[in-house]
Amino acid sequence: IFFAFEETLIYDLNFMGIKAGETILSIKKDTINQNNIYHLKSTTKTNSFVDKLYKIRDNIDILFNQKDFSTIEVIKKIDQGGKRKLFKSIINYDSLKAISNRKTIKIPGKVLDPLSSIYYLRNKEIKISDIFEFTTYDNDKLKEVRVVAKNIETISTPNGDYECIVIVPESKNGTLLKNKGSMKIWFSNDISKIPIKIENITKSGKMIMLLKDIN
């Protein structure tokens, strides 16, 4: 395992090219039913300027297995533009079912949350042209994800400049994806593979998280 077990990453949030607020990703070790897990917490909060246009207060908790990073439990409290959504889900790997507060679906096996997949990738050795494939489970939807390590780029942050290896999503036939829900990640090109920049294509537009502090 390459990343620190207890770590808090603080990001500036940019939306449609404007400074929009802050996202915090924090991870720690925990146990559930004698199983060793990670507890990943994500909070996103828009600033007072953006609040007037489109207020966001999102809180996400993901519990996942320390060995293979498979999702165990998810609680997402999403509050965006005055609309609130609650999504809770527990994954039962014995019966291969994901049971949420909305419905139950069959899963093919190990599933990752899109957010915790960042930590799954951090635990890999990554070289240019490497391809990683996994299944994500998010809001009652399963998605076959394929990402490729594309190139090396230098990213400037309030914390300094980082040489990064760029991970981009692609379809099975090798074309790059730019559709909703696709995530592009710039990992520091060293053993800790800190996600320096994360770009997310949402329904409303492109959201960019840029690292500003590490605790």
Side-chain angles (χ1 to χ4, degrees):
I1 303 252
F2 298 120
F3 60 85
F5 298 123
E6 307 268 326
E7 175 192 75
T8 300
L9 303 171
I10 303 166
Y11 293 88
D12 275 326
L13 189 65
N14 275 274
F15 187 61
M16 312 284 277
I18 56 170
K19 271 202 167 183
E22 188 176 83
T23 294
I24 298 171
L25 290 180
S26 65
I27 191 166
K28 64 177 187 183
K29 280 178 154 183
D30 211 335
T31 52
I32 187 168
N33 305 328
Q34 278 100 47
N35 292 321
N36 292 330
I37 63 156
Y38 289 119
H39 182 173
L40 175 62
K41 231 178 166 28
S42 166
T43 58
T44 297
K45 185 179 174 183
T46 44
N47 57 32
S48 54
F49 172 69
V50 175
D51 277 353
K52 295 185 183 80
L53 308 167
Y54 193 79
K55 186 176 176 181
I56 296 176
R57 296 289 185 276
D58 289 354
N59 288 286
I60 298 170
D61 285 270
I62 303 156
L63 306 183
F64 59 99
N65 189 295
Q66 274 185 30
K67 284 200 187 89
D68 63 5
F69 296 77
S70 55
T71 305
I72 296 165
E73 194 174 331
V74 179
I75 301 169
K76 298 190 178 191
K77 294 174 183 171
I78 306 299
D79 184 351
Q80 297 184 357
K83 289 184 180 165
R84 292 183 179 181
K85 288 181 192 162
L86 174 66
F87 178 75
K88 285 184 176 183
S89 183
I90 289 175
I91 312 288
N92 186 326
Y93 287 102
D94 294 330
S95 62
L96 289 179
K97 284 179 181 164
I99 303 136
S100 81
N101 55 328
R102 296 180 201 148
K103 59 176 168 182
T104 298
I105 65 168
K106 286 286 285 177
I107 56 168
K110 180 177 82 169
V111 292
L112 307 179
D113 183 89
L115 258 186
S116 59
S117 71
I118 292 171
Y119 294 84
Y120 166 81
L121 290 166
R122 287 181 73 181
N123 195 45
K124 301 286 185 188
E125 275 193 57
I126 303 176
K127 302 182 294 298
I128 299 294
S129 300
D130 281 355
I131 292 169
F132 302 94
E133 293 181 326
F134 46 89
T135 304
T136 59
Y137 166 74
D138 188 28
N139 294 320
D140 291 321
K141 289 191 177 71
L142 294 167
K143 191 171 167 185
E144 295 296 326
V145 174
R146 176 186 167 105
V147 294
V148 60
K150 259 312 199 219
N151 57 319
I152 302 284
E153 285 178 22
T154 299
I155 298 293
S156 296
T157 78
N159 232 4
D161 291 354
Y162 290 87
E163 183 186 272
C164 295
I165 192 157
V166 191
I167 302 286
V168 293
E170 66 171 29
S171 66
K172 291 283 187 213
N173 65 8
T175 55
L176 297 187
L177 295 180
K178 287 195 169 66
N179 56 352
K180 181 170 76 74
S182 61
M183 201 190 285
K184 187 173 172 185
I185 309 163
W186 287 255
F187 287 114
S188 61
N189 193 20
D190 55 27
I191 195 158
S192 56
K193 290 194 205 63
I194 296 161
I196 302 298
K197 181 179 171 184
I198 301 168
E199 188 180 286
N200 218 339
I201 310 287
T202 69
K203 260 194 311 217
S204 326
K206 190 188 287 185
M207 213 174 252
I208 294 171
M209 292 160 55
L210 188 64
L211 185 73
K212 67 173 173 184
D213 207 0
I214 304 170
N215 293 332

